[in-house]
PDB file of all heavy atoms in Angstrom:
ATOM      1  N   LEU X   1      85.598 -44.930  23.667  1.00 96.00           N
ATOM      2  CA  LEU X   1      86.984 -45.440  23.749  1.00 96.00           C
ATOM      3  C   LEU X   1      87.438 -45.250  25.142  1.00 96.00           C
ATOM      4  O   LEU X   1      87.363 -44.117  25.687  1.00 96.00           O
ATOM      5  CB  LEU X   1      87.888 -44.739  22.754  1.00 96.00           C
ATOM      6  CG  LEU X   1      87.508 -44.752  21.304  1.00 96.00           C
ATOM      7  CD1 LEU X   1      88.531 -43.919  20.472  1.00 96.00           C
ATOM      8  CD2 LEU X   1      87.485 -46.181  20.783  1.00 96.00           C
ATOM      9  N   VAL X   2      87.894 -46.326  25.768  1.00 96.00           N
ATOM     10  CA  VAL X   2      88.326 -46.277  27.185  1.00 96.00           C
ATOM     11  C   VAL X   2      89.781 -46.795  27.331  1.00 96.00           C
ATOM     12  O   VAL X   2      90.005 -47.932  27.008  1.00 96.00           O
ATOM     13  CB  VAL X   2      87.443 -47.036  28.119  1.00 96.00           C
ATOM     14  CG1 VAL X   2      87.914 -46.915  29.560  1.00 96.00           C
ATOM     15  CG2 VAL X   2      85.968 -46.504  27.982  1.00 96.00           C
ATOM     16  N   GLU X   3      90.681 -45.935  27.710  1.00 97.00           N
ATOM     17  CA  GLU X   3      92.072 -46.307  27.935  1.00 97.00           C
ATOM     18  C   GLU X   3      92.325 -46.835  29.275  1.00 97.00           C
ATOM     19  O   GLU X   3      91.590 -46.514  30.238  1.00 97.00           O
ATOM     20  CB  GLU X   3      92.999 -45.048  27.751  1.00 97.00           C
ATOM     21  CG  GLU X   3      92.918 -44.407  26.370  1.00 97.00           C
ATOM     22  CD  GLU X   3      92.020 -43.188  26.420  1.00 97.00           C
ATOM     23  OE1 GLU X   3      91.111 -43.146  27.278  1.00 97.00           O
ATOM     24  OE2 GLU X   3      92.216 -42.303  25.552  1.00 97.00           O
ATOM     25  N   SER X   4      93.235 -47.769  29.403  1.00 97.00           N
ATOM     26  CA  SER X   4      93.667 -48.323  30.680  1.00 97.00           C
ATOM     27  C   SER X   4      95.152 -48.729  30.616  1.00 97.00           C
ATOM     28  O   SER X   4      95.713 -48.786  29.549  1.00 97.00           O
ATOM     29  CB  SER X   4      92.779 -49.514  31.063  1.00 97.00           C
ATOM     30  OG  SER X   4      92.959 -50.502  30.105  1.00 97.00           O
ATOM     31  N   GLY X   5      95.726 -48.972  31.759  1.00 97.00           N
ATOM     32  CA  GLY X   5      97.084 -49.438  31.818  1.00 97.00           C
ATOM     33  C   GLY X   5      98.093 -48.375  32.185  1.00 97.00           C
ATOM     34  O   GLY X   5      99.285 -48.710  32.328  1.00 97.00           O
ATOM     35  N   GLY X   6      97.651 -47.168  32.337  1.00 98.00           N
ATOM     36  CA  GLY X   6      98.580 -46.127  32.738  1.00 98.00           C
ATOM     37  C   GLY X   6      98.988 -46.292  34.155  1.00 98.00           C
ATOM     38  O   GLY X   6      98.418 -47.035  34.939  1.00 98.00           O
ATOM     39  N   GLY X   7     100.051 -45.520  34.580  1.00 98.00           N
ATOM     40  CA  GLY X   7     100.514 -45.635  35.915  1.00 98.00           C
ATOM     41  C   GLY X   7     101.951 -45.028  36.040  1.00 98.00           C
ATOM     42  O   GLY X   7     102.370 -44.238  35.147  1.00 98.00           O
ATOM     43  N   SER X   8     102.593 -45.282  37.106  1.00 98.00           N
ATOM     44  CA  SER X   8     103.936 -44.721  37.404  1.00 98.00           C
ATOM     45  C   SER X   8     104.938 -45.841  37.216  1.00 98.00           C
ATOM     46  O   SER X   8     104.737 -46.965  37.715  1.00 98.00           O
ATOM     47  CB  SER X   8     103.974 -44.137  38.767  1.00 98.00           C
ATOM     48  OG  SER X   8     105.246 -43.560  39.028  1.00 98.00           O
ATOM     49  N   VAL X   9     106.025 -45.504  36.520  1.00 98.00           N
ATOM     50  CA  VAL X   9     107.102 -46.501  36.304  1.00 98.00           C
ATOM     51  C   VAL X   9     108.458 -45.823  36.364  1.00 98.00           C
ATOM     52  O   VAL X   9     108.557 -44.615  36.053  1.00 98.00           O
ATOM     53  CB  VAL X   9     106.868 -47.223  34.922  1.00 98.00           C
ATOM     54  CG1 VAL X   9     107.057 -46.215  33.775  1.00 98.00           C
ATOM     55  CG2 VAL X   9     107.808 -48.399  34.809  1.00 98.00           C
ATOM     56  N   GLN X  10     109.465 -46.574  36.665  1.00 98.00           N
ATOM     57  CA  GLN X  10     110.843 -46.000  36.685  1.00 98.00           C
ATOM     58  C   GLN X  10     111.424 -45.910  35.283  1.00 98.00           C
ATOM     59  O   GLN X  10     110.984 -46.692  34.397  1.00 98.00           O
ATOM     60  CB  GLN X  10     111.717 -46.844  37.614  1.00 98.00           C
ATOM     61  CG  GLN X  10     111.365 -46.805  39.057  1.00 98.00           C
ATOM     62  CD  GLN X  10     112.323 -47.629  39.907  1.00 98.00           C
ATOM     63  OE1 GLN X  10     112.837 -48.655  39.488  1.00 98.00           O
ATOM     64  NE2 GLN X  10     112.540 -47.142  41.126  1.00 98.00           N
ATOM     65  N   PRO X  11     112.383 -45.018  35.076  1.00 98.00           N
ATOM     66  CA  PRO X  11     113.048 -44.937  33.785  1.00 98.00           C
ATOM     67  C   PRO X  11     113.638 -46.343  33.407  1.00 98.00           C
ATOM     68  O   PRO X  11     114.175 -47.054  34.230  1.00 98.00           O
ATOM     69  CB  PRO X  11     114.125 -43.951  33.948  1.00 98.00           C
ATOM     70  CG  PRO X  11     113.595 -43.065  35.076  1.00 98.00           C
ATOM     71  CD  PRO X  11     112.843 -43.974  35.993  1.00 98.00           C
ATOM     72  N   GLY X  12     113.386 -46.710  32.126  1.00 98.00           N
ATOM     73  CA  GLY X  12     113.812 -48.016  31.667  1.00 98.00           C
ATOM     74  C   GLY X  12     112.763 -49.091  31.773  1.00 98.00           C
ATOM     75  O   GLY X  12     112.914 -50.190  31.204  1.00 98.00           O
ATOM     76  N   GLY X  13     111.674 -48.763  32.489  1.00 98.00           N
ATOM     77  CA  GLY X  13     110.580 -49.718  32.708  1.00 98.00           C
ATOM     78  C   GLY X  13     109.638 -49.812  31.510  1.00 98.00           C
ATOM     79  O   GLY X  13     109.838 -49.165  30.515  1.00 98.00           O
ATOM     80  N   SER X  14     108.641 -50.605  31.679  1.00 98.00           N
ATOM     81  CA  SER X  14     107.684 -50.839  30.648  1.00 98.00           C
ATOM     82  C   SER X  14     106.252 -50.686  31.161  1.00 98.00           C
ATOM     83  O   SER X  14     105.913 -50.954  32.313  1.00 98.00           O
ATOM     84  CB  SER X  14     107.880 -52.268  30.032  1.00 98.00           C
ATOM     85  OG  SER X  14     109.069 -52.406  29.495  1.00 98.00           O
ATOM     86  N   LEU X  15     105.358 -50.303  30.258  1.00 98.00           N
ATOM     87  CA  LEU X  15     103.937 -50.275  30.461  1.00 98.00           C
ATOM     88  C   LEU X  15     103.273 -50.723  29.245  1.00 98.00           C
ATOM     89  O   LEU X  15     103.745 -50.463  28.116  1.00 98.00           O
ATOM     90  CB  LEU X  15     103.455 -48.869  30.895  1.00 98.00           C
ATOM     91  CG  LEU X  15     103.711 -48.373  32.284  1.00 98.00           C
ATOM     92  CD1 LEU X  15     103.329 -46.938  32.415  1.00 98.00           C
ATOM     93  CD2 LEU X  15     102.976 -49.255  33.323  1.00 98.00           C
ATOM     94  N   ARG X  16     102.078 -51.273  29.378  1.00 98.00           N
ATOM     95  CA  ARG X  16     101.200 -51.644  28.240  1.00 98.00           C
ATOM     96  C   ARG X  16      99.852 -50.974  28.391  1.00 98.00           C
ATOM     97  O   ARG X  16      99.117 -51.241  29.313  1.00 98.00           O
ATOM     98  CB  ARG X  16     101.059 -53.177  28.200  1.00 98.00           C
ATOM     99  CG  ARG X  16     100.332 -53.618  26.888  1.00 98.00           C
ATOM    100  CD  ARG X  16      99.901 -55.089  27.044  1.00 98.00           C
ATOM    101  NE  ARG X  16      99.475 -55.657  25.745  1.00 98.00           N
ATOM    102  CZ  ARG X  16      98.623 -56.608  25.664  1.00 98.00           C
ATOM    103  NH1 ARG X  16      97.976 -57.116  26.755  1.00 98.00           N
ATOM    104  NH2 ARG X  16      98.328 -57.100  24.508  1.00 98.00           N
ATOM    105  N   LEU X  17      99.574 -50.104  27.447  1.00 98.00           N
ATOM    106  CA  LEU X  17      98.284 -49.384  27.485  1.00 98.00           C
ATOM    107  C   LEU X  17      97.282 -50.157  26.620  1.00 98.00           C
ATOM    108  O   LEU X  17      97.656 -50.727  25.605  1.00 98.00           O
ATOM    109  CB  LEU X  17      98.439 -47.940  26.957  1.00 98.00           C
ATOM    110  CG  LEU X  17      99.467 -47.041  27.636  1.00 98.00           C
ATOM    111  CD1 LEU X  17      99.435 -45.660  27.011  1.00 98.00           C
ATOM    112  CD2 LEU X  17      99.216 -47.025  29.154  1.00 98.00           C
ATOM    113  N   SER X  18      96.076 -50.134  26.988  1.00 98.00           N
ATOM    114  CA  SER X  18      94.963 -50.682  26.230  1.00 98.00           C
ATOM    115  C   SER X  18      93.886 -49.644  25.952  1.00 98.00           C
ATOM    116  O   SER X  18      93.727 -48.737  26.778  1.00 98.00           O
ATOM    117  CB  SER X  18      94.357 -51.859  26.943  1.00 98.00           C
ATOM    118  OG  SER X  18      95.307 -52.911  27.167  1.00 98.00           O
ATOM    119  N   CYS X  19      93.228 -49.775  24.911  1.00 98.00           N
ATOM    120  CA  CYS X  19      92.061 -48.907  24.543  1.00 98.00           C
ATOM    121  C   CYS X  19      90.986 -49.793  24.058  1.00 98.00           C
ATOM    122  O   CYS X  19      91.072 -50.355  22.930  1.00 98.00           O
ATOM    123  CB  CYS X  19      92.479 -47.923  23.525  1.00 98.00           C
ATOM    124  SG  CYS X  19      91.161 -46.878  22.902  1.00 98.00           S
ATOM    125  N   ALA X  20      89.884 -49.912  24.734  1.00 97.00           N
ATOM    126  CA  ALA X  20      88.791 -50.754  24.414  1.00 97.00           C
ATOM    127  C   ALA X  20      87.670 -49.937  23.740  1.00 97.00           C
ATOM    128  O   ALA X  20      87.258 -48.906  24.302  1.00 97.00           O
ATOM    129  CB  ALA X  20      88.218 -51.488  25.589  1.00 97.00           C
ATOM    130  N   ALA X  21      87.263 -50.323  22.575  1.00 95.00           N
ATOM    131  CA  ALA X  21      86.190 -49.674  21.822  1.00 95.00           C
ATOM    132  C   ALA X  21      84.873 -50.380  22.089  1.00 95.00           C
ATOM    133  O   ALA X  21      84.840 -51.532  22.057  1.00 95.00           O
ATOM    134  CB  ALA X  21      86.503 -49.618  20.397  1.00 95.00           C
ATOM    135  N   SER X  22      83.855 -49.626  22.278  1.00 91.00           N
ATOM    136  CA  SER X  22      82.497 -50.162  22.517  1.00 91.00           C
ATOM    137  C   SER X  22      81.500 -49.432  21.680  1.00 91.00           C
ATOM    138  O   SER X  22      81.723 -48.296  21.174  1.00 91.00           O
ATOM    139  CB  SER X  22      82.131 -50.132  23.973  1.00 91.00           C
ATOM    140  OG  SER X  22      81.995 -48.785  24.453  1.00 91.00           O
ATOM    141  N   GLY X  23      80.374 -50.089  21.475  1.00 83.00           N
ATOM    142  CA  GLY X  23      79.342 -49.540  20.618  1.00 83.00           C
ATOM    143  C   GLY X  23      78.981 -50.560  19.606  1.00 83.00           C
ATOM    144  O   GLY X  23      79.852 -51.132  18.894  1.00 83.00           O
ATOM    145  N   SER X  24      77.711 -50.866  19.443  1.00 77.00           N
ATOM    146  CA  SER X  24      77.253 -51.924  18.564  1.00 77.00           C
ATOM    147  C   SER X  24      77.563 -51.707  17.097  1.00 77.00           C
ATOM    148  O   SER X  24      77.668 -52.655  16.350  1.00 77.00           O
ATOM    149  CB  SER X  24      75.736 -52.137  18.764  1.00 77.00           C
ATOM    150  OG  SER X  24      75.006 -50.949  18.453  1.00 77.00           O
ATOM    151  N   THR X  25      77.731 -50.445  16.700  1.00 82.00           N
ATOM    152  CA  THR X  25      78.016 -50.150  15.340  1.00 82.00           C
ATOM    153  C   THR X  25      79.446 -49.711  15.084  1.00 82.00           C
ATOM    154  O   THR X  25      79.748 -49.127  14.001  1.00 82.00           O
ATOM    155  CB  THR X  25      77.032 -49.043  14.828  1.00 82.00           C
ATOM    156  OG1 THR X  25      77.232 -47.885  15.595  1.00 82.00           O
ATOM    157  CG2 THR X  25      75.612 -49.531  14.947  1.00 82.00           C
ATOM    158  N   PHE X  26      80.314 -49.872  16.100  1.00 87.00           N
ATOM    159  CA  PHE X  26      81.672 -49.418  15.928  1.00 87.00           C
ATOM    160  C   PHE X  26      82.436 -50.113  14.877  1.00 87.00           C
ATOM    161  O   PHE X  26      82.460 -51.330  14.769  1.00 87.00           O
ATOM    162  CB  PHE X  26      82.448 -49.551  17.306  1.00 87.00           C
ATOM    163  CG  PHE X  26      83.858 -49.126  17.155  1.00 87.00           C
ATOM    164  CD1 PHE X  26      84.229 -47.762  17.208  1.00 87.00           C
ATOM    165  CD2 PHE X  26      84.865 -50.034  16.978  1.00 87.00           C
ATOM    166  CE1 PHE X  26      85.557 -47.398  17.110  1.00 87.00           C
ATOM    167  CE2 PHE X  26      86.195 -49.668  16.838  1.00 87.00           C
ATOM    168  CZ  PHE X  26      86.534 -48.350  16.899  1.00 87.00           C
ATOM    169  N   SER X  27      83.024 -49.343  14.010  1.00 90.00           N
ATOM    170  CA  SER X  27      84.036 -49.856  12.989  1.00 90.00           C
ATOM    171  C   SER X  27      84.958 -48.723  12.712  1.00 90.00           C
ATOM    172  O   SER X  27      84.641 -47.594  12.909  1.00 90.00           O
ATOM    173  CB  SER X  27      83.263 -50.330  11.720  1.00 90.00           C
ATOM    174  OG  SER X  27      82.523 -49.220  11.152  1.00 90.00           O
ATOM    175  N   THR X  28      86.136 -49.097  12.279  1.00 92.00           N
ATOM    176  CA  THR X  28      87.218 -48.082  12.129  1.00 92.00           C
ATOM    177  C   THR X  28      88.145 -48.363  10.974  1.00 92.00           C
ATOM    178  O   THR X  28      88.322 -49.576  10.585  1.00 92.00           O
ATOM    179  CB  THR X  28      87.991 -47.931  13.452  1.00 92.00           C
ATOM    180  OG1 THR X  28      88.950 -46.895  13.302  1.00 92.00           O
ATOM    181  CG2 THR X  28      88.727 -49.245  13.790  1.00 92.00           C
ATOM    182  N   GLU X  29      88.639 -47.360  10.424  1.00 93.00           N
ATOM    183  CA  GLU X  29      89.693 -47.513   9.384  1.00 93.00           C
ATOM    184  C   GLU X  29      91.098 -47.596  10.062  1.00 93.00           C
ATOM    185  O   GLU X  29      91.945 -48.308   9.505  1.00 93.00           O
ATOM    186  CB  GLU X  29      89.715 -46.309   8.431  1.00 93.00           C
ATOM    187  CG  GLU X  29      88.427 -46.105   7.652  1.00 93.00           C
ATOM    188  CD  GLU X  29      88.292 -47.033   6.481  1.00 93.00           C
ATOM    189  OE1 GLU X  29      89.268 -47.745   6.186  1.00 93.00           O
ATOM    190  OE2 GLU X  29      87.218 -47.065   5.861  1.00 93.00           O
ATOM    191  N   ALA X  30      91.266 -46.886  11.138  1.00 96.00           N
ATOM    192  CA  ALA X  30      92.538 -46.840  11.780  1.00 96.00           C
ATOM    193  C   ALA X  30      92.335 -46.329  13.182  1.00 96.00           C
ATOM    194  O   ALA X  30      91.428 -45.647  13.516  1.00 96.00           O
ATOM    195  CB  ALA X  30      93.519 -45.974  11.032  1.00 96.00           C
ATOM    196  N   MET X  31      93.346 -46.635  14.033  1.00 97.00           N
ATOM    197  CA  MET X  31      93.367 -46.113  15.349  1.00 97.00           C
ATOM    198  C   MET X  31      94.791 -45.599  15.719  1.00 97.00           C
ATOM    199  O   MET X  31      95.733 -46.032  15.006  1.00 97.00           O
ATOM    200  CB  MET X  31      92.897 -47.146  16.431  1.00 97.00           C
ATOM    201  CG  MET X  31      91.448 -47.524  16.282  1.00 97.00           C
ATOM    202  SD  MET X  31      90.824 -48.633  17.573  1.00 97.00           S
ATOM    203  CE  MET X  31      90.782 -47.509  18.933  1.00 97.00           C
ATOM    204  N   GLY X  32      94.856 -44.748  16.680  1.00 98.00           N
ATOM    205  CA  GLY X  32      96.179 -44.245  17.000  1.00 98.00           C
ATOM    206  C   GLY X  32      96.285 -43.791  18.434  1.00 98.00           C
ATOM    207  O   GLY X  32      95.303 -43.807  19.214  1.00 98.00           O
ATOM    208  N   TRP X  33      97.480 -43.473  18.825  1.00 98.00           N
ATOM    209  CA  TRP X  33      97.786 -42.954  20.124  1.00 98.00           C
ATOM    210  C   TRP X  33      98.436 -41.552  20.048  1.00 98.00           C
ATOM    211  O   TRP X  33      99.270 -41.328  19.184  1.00 98.00           O
ATOM    212  CB  TRP X  33      98.795 -43.859  20.894  1.00 98.00           C
ATOM    213  CG  TRP X  33      98.233 -45.189  21.341  1.00 98.00           C
ATOM    214  CD1 TRP X  33      98.305 -46.352  20.633  1.00 98.00           C
ATOM    215  CD2 TRP X  33      97.398 -45.431  22.486  1.00 98.00           C
ATOM    216  NE1 TRP X  33      97.704 -47.344  21.328  1.00 98.00           N
ATOM    217  CE2 TRP X  33      97.148 -46.814  22.448  1.00 98.00           C
ATOM    218  CE3 TRP X  33      96.954 -44.636  23.544  1.00 98.00           C
ATOM    219  CZ2 TRP X  33      96.423 -47.433  23.486  1.00 98.00           C
ATOM    220  CZ3 TRP X  33      96.257 -45.254  24.585  1.00 98.00           C
ATOM    221  CH2 TRP X  33      95.981 -46.636  24.525  1.00 98.00           C
ATOM    222  N   PHE X  34      97.967 -40.661  20.848  1.00 98.00           N
ATOM    223  CA  PHE X  34      98.542 -39.347  21.040  1.00 98.00           C
ATOM    224  C   PHE X  34      98.820 -39.147  22.494  1.00 98.00           C
ATOM    225  O   PHE X  34      98.378 -39.858  23.375  1.00 98.00           O
ATOM    226  CB  PHE X  34      97.562 -38.257  20.584  1.00 98.00           C
ATOM    227  CG  PHE X  34      97.360 -38.274  19.059  1.00 98.00           C
ATOM    228  CD1 PHE X  34      96.584 -39.191  18.456  1.00 98.00           C
ATOM    229  CD2 PHE X  34      97.935 -37.258  18.313  1.00 98.00           C
ATOM    230  CE1 PHE X  34      96.426 -39.157  17.059  1.00 98.00           C
ATOM    231  CE2 PHE X  34      97.753 -37.205  16.935  1.00 98.00           C
ATOM    232  CZ  PHE X  34      97.018 -38.162  16.299  1.00 98.00           C
ATOM    233  N   ARG X  35      99.676 -38.160  22.809  1.00 98.00           N
ATOM    234  CA  ARG X  35      99.966 -37.860  24.199  1.00 98.00           C
ATOM    235  C   ARG X  35     100.153 -36.308  24.346  1.00 98.00           C
ATOM    236  O   ARG X  35     100.440 -35.597  23.424  1.00 98.00           O
ATOM    237  CB  ARG X  35     101.226 -38.563  24.615  1.00 98.00           C
ATOM    238  CG  ARG X  35     102.529 -38.136  23.967  1.00 98.00           C
ATOM    239  CD  ARG X  35     103.699 -39.002  24.377  1.00 98.00           C
ATOM    240  NE  ARG X  35     104.935 -38.569  23.789  1.00 98.00           N
ATOM    241  CZ  ARG X  35     106.101 -39.218  23.882  1.00 98.00           C
ATOM    242  NH1 ARG X  35     106.129 -40.385  24.598  1.00 98.00           N
ATOM    243  NH2 ARG X  35     107.195 -38.754  23.339  1.00 98.00           N
ATOM    244  N   GLN X  36      99.921 -35.929  25.599  1.00 98.00           N
ATOM    245  CA  GLN X  36     100.057 -34.517  25.923  1.00 98.00           C
ATOM    246  C   GLN X  36     100.738 -34.341  27.284  1.00 98.00           C
ATOM    247  O   GLN X  36     100.141 -34.776  28.315  1.00 98.00           O
ATOM    248  CB  GLN X  36      98.702 -33.827  25.886  1.00 98.00           C
ATOM    249  CG  GLN X  36      98.806 -32.287  26.049  1.00 98.00           C
ATOM    250  CD  GLN X  36      97.503 -31.607  25.731  1.00 98.00           C
ATOM    251  OE1 GLN X  36      96.406 -32.153  25.818  1.00 98.00           O
ATOM    252  NE2 GLN X  36      97.618 -30.345  25.324  1.00 98.00           N
ATOM    253  N   ALA X  37     101.873 -33.717  27.272  1.00 97.00           N
ATOM    254  CA  ALA X  37     102.585 -33.402  28.524  1.00 97.00           C
ATOM    255  C   ALA X  37     102.232 -32.021  29.013  1.00 97.00           C
ATOM    256  O   ALA X  37     101.778 -31.164  28.174  1.00 97.00           O
ATOM    257  CB  ALA X  37     104.060 -33.503  28.283  1.00 97.00           C
ATOM    258  N   PRO X  38     102.323 -31.745  30.279  1.00 92.00           N
ATOM    259  CA  PRO X  38     101.996 -30.445  30.810  1.00 92.00           C
ATOM    260  C   PRO X  38     102.797 -29.294  30.070  1.00 92.00           C
ATOM    261  O   PRO X  38     103.996 -29.434  29.867  1.00 92.00           O
ATOM    262  CB  PRO X  38     102.435 -30.471  32.273  1.00 92.00           C
ATOM    263  CG  PRO X  38     102.326 -31.911  32.586  1.00 92.00           C
ATOM    264  CD  PRO X  38     102.765 -32.627  31.396  1.00 92.00           C
ATOM    265  N   GLY X  39     102.061 -28.273  29.649  1.00 94.00           N
ATOM    266  CA  GLY X  39     102.746 -27.182  28.955  1.00 94.00           C
ATOM    267  C   GLY X  39     103.056 -27.438  27.506  1.00 94.00           C
ATOM    268  O   GLY X  39     103.687 -26.626  26.827  1.00 94.00           O
TER     269      GLY X  39
END
């Protein structure tokens, strides 16, 4: 799984993150996003 689309933005702005899955046998029931801030 490879994320992309991150960066720096001003408050009120927008970003679109993507996560590309690879692997010939990949299949999934569900996917999700998590985040971790310093501390």
Side-chain angles (χ1 to χ4, degrees):
L1 302 178
V2 181
E3 302 96 336
S4 62
S8 182
V9 66
Q10 294 182 327
S14 298
L15 284 173
R16 188 194 193 208
L17 305 183
S18 299
C19 174
S22 63
S24 60
T25 61
F26 178 80
S27 60
T28 182
E29 298 282 353
M31 295 186 72
W33 291 97
F34 289 75
R35 66 187 183 185
Q36 187 168 26

